[in-house]
Amino acid sequence: MKQLKNSLEFKVWCYLIVFSIIILFFLWIFQVVSLKSYYELSTKKEINKVVKQVKNSYDNSDYENIFNKLSFNTDTCIELYDGTMRVYSSFSCNTKSIEFSQEKRDFILKNYDSQGYEIEDDNLNNKVLLYGIKLDDNRYAFVQASLIPVDSTVKILKQQLVIVSVVVCSLSLLVAIFISKRISKPIEEINENAKKLAEGKYDLTFKDKSTIKEINELNSTLNYTSKELAKTENLRRELLSNVSHDLKTPLTMIKAYAEMVRDLTYKDKNKRNQDLNVIINETDRLNLLVNDILDLSKYQSNTIKLEYSEFDINELIENILKQYVIYEEKDGYKINYKSFGKINVIADKRRIEQVLYNLINNALNYTGDDKKIYIRLIDSKEADRVRVEISDTGKGIDKKDIPLIWDRYYKADKTYSRIQIGSGIGLSIVKNILKLHNVTYGVESTLNVGTTFYFELIRSDNNK
């Protein structure tokens, strides 16, 4: 029972019913209970307006015609007295109205400036409102209106309102049930699917065919959330698999070569040194992976503070390429770079160096069979920007996969094999560093032609 009372359908139904009852309550108050009082108040206000117009129009030479029209339009009796002698009465005054009543006599004799009276007419069983004003030293005006009994009107209104109340309550009940179901049903469906989504079922579709805009927007948002959660879950699984692979491989080799040194080659100095070098190299690889993961975590948590400085980007690239000579000599790679003159930029030098290393490593891993890599500097003096491009000649990236390549360990073919150089999260680190610098970056790729990664840095004014 408590669950029913807290449901959206029940609450919407209750609110609509209560709203209908409140409307009916005010109808009864204004149309029946307070009709007589409202009628009297309205008539008094009308007489006050007539009195003001009489006072303002009295000085007009044609005041009689003005008073006749005013009397006719407002259904009031207007009289003028010179002392105790009546000198004018409007067409609306009947015989009873023009009698020189005791109230009129007292008003004139006591020489009031203005006074209102409520007179009970026993003959007509109604109330008469009389208002007197003094126009000048010996001239007085009286405005009189009868209050028509409204008891019969109230009785008729009561009968009508009883019927109206029954009809309105019945219609309100039906409308409330209809509206509550129209609103609550799609929300109940959303709630059920959201529970399934929380349980890890991401292949859900939230139907956005409701007639309510906000519910459709909620469905669209949840559909987007479902897709993003599915992507995140897939990436999480791939991340666990890939990190486990990258950790397991060097650890396995370290253990294997350590056992070999212990059991077999500890007496052979040359062989022992070779095995120890393998252990050192694999330890370095393991250390690189751990450091990259820690760096990525820091970038994503915004705990890295950039240290801006001015440096020569051309010189930085040349120094970095010296570290890759071994790949050119040993593995036949060809890194093409046309050296520029001095081009100063403003950035965090150590972080940009990290970006260049990761992008070059990525190009080495995915370039084509010709093993060529191209690095270009484009100096745009007009825009105060320096653009760095690093291209490979590999298979390229499908357009639908381009937004995902910045994710950790993401691969378009979904088949993971340990990369030759780097930790596998280099592009994620690149993205986070460039985002911290708030610079333009991106990737352009053509299938079976190659891929170009680029970023722009702010050009310094001190270039000479």
Side-chain angles (χ1 to χ4, degrees):
M1 185 65 181
K2 184 178 179 180
Q3 194 173 13
L4 176 63
K5 289 182 178 180
N6 289 331
S7 68
L8 176 64
E9 183 177 351
F10 181 78
K11 287 186 179 293
V12 171
W13 180 83
C14 286
Y15 292 149
L16 288 173
I17 292 297
V18 169
F19 176 75
S20 301
I21 292 173
I22 291 173
I23 295 297
L24 289 173
F25 171 77
F26 280 107
L27 280 175
W28 277 87
I29 291 294
F30 289 113
Q31 295 296 319
V32 177
V33 177
S34 62
L35 179 62
K36 186 175 181 181
S37 300
Y38 181 78
Y39 171 63
E40 289 183 5
L41 181 63
S42 178
T43 305
K44 288 178 181 178
K45 288 183 177 180
E46 189 67 28
I47 289 179
N48 285 328
K49 290 180 182 179
V50 173
V51 168
K52 288 180 181 179
Q53 292 182 37
V54 168
K55 193 171 184 178
N56 293 332
S57 304
Y58 172 65
D59 294 333
N60 194 304
S61 58
D62 194 27
Y63 72 84
E64 291 188 4
N65 286 330
I66 296 174
F67 287 174
N68 283 331
K69 290 179 181 179
L70 183 62
S71 174
F72 178 79
N73 291 333
T74 59
D75 195 22
T76 56
C77 170
I78 302 174
E79 299 175 283
L80 297 181
Y81 279 82
D82 192 355
T84 57
M85 182 177 294
R86 180 173 57 82
V87 294
Y88 167 80
S89 63
S90 62
F91 296 146
S92 299
C93 298
N94 55 36
T95 304
K96 188 71 177 176
S97 300
I98 63 175
E99 288 182 353
F100 192 58
S101 63
Q102 183 64 41
E103 289 79 12
K104 297 176 184 177
R105 185 185 303 277
D106 288 343
F107 181 82
I108 295 172
L109 292 177
K110 294 180 180 179
N111 200 26
Y112 289 135
D113 288 331
S114 63
Q115 184 68 35
Y117 302 92
E118 291 186 9
I119 305 169
E120 294 290 341
D121 191 336
D122 296 330
N123 295 326
L124 298 176
N125 194 28
N126 67 347
K127 186 185 290 185
V128 177
L129 298 178
L130 176 67
Y131 204 100
I133 55 172
K134 184 178 180 180
L135 297 175
D136 54 31
D137 291 341
N138 200 40
R139 184 62 64 91
Y140 304 89
F142 293 95
V143 178
Q144 185 173 316
S146 297
L147 292 176
I148 300 172
V150 294
D151 294 341
S152 59
T153 304
V154 170
K155 185 177 180 181
I156 293 172
L157 285 174
K158 282 183 179 178
Q159 293 173 351
Q160 288 182 337
L161 281 175
V162 168
I163 298 172
V164 169
S165 298
V166 172
V167 172
V168 168
C169 285
S170 301
L171 288 175
S172 297
L173 180 62
L174 294 174
V175 171
I177 293 173
F178 173 77
I179 292 178
S180 62
K181 286 188 176 296
R182 292 280 290 184
I183 294 176
S184 64
K185 186 176 180 181
I187 293 179
E188 288 173 0
E189 291 177 356
I190 291 172
N191 185 47
E192 289 300 317
N193 284 335
K195 289 178 180 177
K196 295 177 182 178
L197 186 63
E199 294 172 358
K201 299 176 181 178
Y202 303 124
D203 56 342
L204 296 171
T205 301
F206 292 84
K207 299 177 182 178
D208 53 356
K209 296 181 179 180
S210 173
T211 55
I212 301 172
K213 176 186 174 184
E214 287 76 10
I215 291 179
N216 282 335
E217 289 178 350
L218 178 59
N219 278 319
S220 298
T221 301
L222 288 172
N223 279 327
Y224 175 76
T225 303
S226 177
K227 291 178 182 177
E228 292 303 310
L229 286 174
K231 292 179 184 177
T232 302
E233 178 62 19
N234 289 334
L235 288 173
R236 184 187 68 83
R237 291 174 181 172
E238 290 178 11
L239 177 63
L240 288 175
S241 173
N242 296 333
V243 170
S244 298
H245 186 282
D246 268 357
L247 289 174
K248 183 179 179 181
T249 302
L251 287 174
T252 301
M253 293 186 70
I254 289 170
K255 181 182 179 182
Y257 278 90
E259 290 176 346
M260 193 178 298
V261 171
R262 183 193 64 188
D263 298 333
L264 301 174
T265 63
Y266 64 93
K267 292 181 180 180
D268 186 339
K269 183 178 179 180
N270 291 333
K271 186 62 176 173
R272 182 180 70 230
N273 288 337
Q274 290 178 4
D275 293 343
L276 290 175
N277 284 332
V278 172
I279 293 174
I280 292 170
N281 290 336
E282 292 301 321
T283 303
D284 289 340
R285 185 186 298 276
L286 186 60
N287 187 56
L288 174 64
L289 174 62
V290 173
N291 286 337
D292 278 355
I293 292 174
L294 290 175
D295 281 346
L296 182 59
S297 176
K298 290 177 183 178
Y299 288 126
Q300 292 178 336
S301 61
N302 293 322
T303 58
I304 294 289
K305 300 297 181 183
L306 297 179
E307 297 179 2
Y308 284 92
S309 63
E310 183 177 323
F311 61 92
D312 183 355
I313 185 66
N314 178 65
E315 182 183 6
L316 179 63
I317 294 174
E318 288 180 341
N319 289 335
I320 290 174
L321 292 181
K322 292 176 183 178
Q323 310 299 319
Y324 289 90
V325 172
I326 187 173
Y327 294 103
E328 293 180 312
E329 295 176 349
K330 181 181 176 181
D331 300 315
Y333 286 98
K334 178 63 176 176
I335 301 178
N336 297 281
Y337 175 65
K338 182 180 179 181
S339 180
F340 278 70
K342 183 177 182 181
I343 303 178
N344 285 349
V345 296
I346 299 174
D348 186 322
K349 182 177 180 180
R350 189 164 69 89
R351 304 300 173 187
I352 296 302
E353 184 177 18
Q354 195 173 6
V355 168
L356 290 167
Y357 269 116
N358 281 315
L359 290 179
I360 294 172
N361 288 343
N362 184 77
L364 289 173
N365 291 328
Y366 294 104
T367 195
D369 294 335
D370 59 4
K371 295 187 177 182
K372 289 183 179 181
I373 295 168
Y374 298 89
I375 301 175
R376 290 177 291 275
L377 273 181
I378 303 173
D379 185 11
S380 177
K381 297 180 181 179
E382 296 78 10
D384 293 329
R385 293 288 188 274
V386 176
R387 181 180 173 109
V388 181
E389 294 183 353
I390 298 175
S391 305
D392 62 52
T393 59
K395 294 182 178 179
I397 306 169
D398 197 309
K399 286 185 178 180
K400 66 181 179 63
D401 293 320
I402 286 179
L404 306 175
I405 62 172
W406 307 102
D407 294 329
R408 292 170 294 180
Y409 284 110
Y410 181 82
K411 284 194 174 185
D413 60 7
K414 303 300 180 185
T415 303
Y416 178 75
S417 61
R418 187 163 64 91
I419 61 177
Q420 299 164 1
I421 307 169
S423 62
I425 57 178
L427 291 182
S428 291
I429 292 175
V430 167
K431 179 186 75 171
N432 283 277
I433 292 175
L434 295 177
K435 282 179 67 177
L436 281 175
H437 278 80
N438 195 28
V439 297
T440 301
Y441 68 95
V443 58
E444 298 170 350
S445 185
T446 304
L447 291 177
N448 300 318
V449 175
T451 301
T452 298
F453 286 86
Y454 65 88
F455 63 93
E456 296 180 356
L457 296 176
I458 299 174
R459 191 176 186 276
S460 172
D461 293 331
N462 296 325
N463 290 287
K464 294 182 181 179

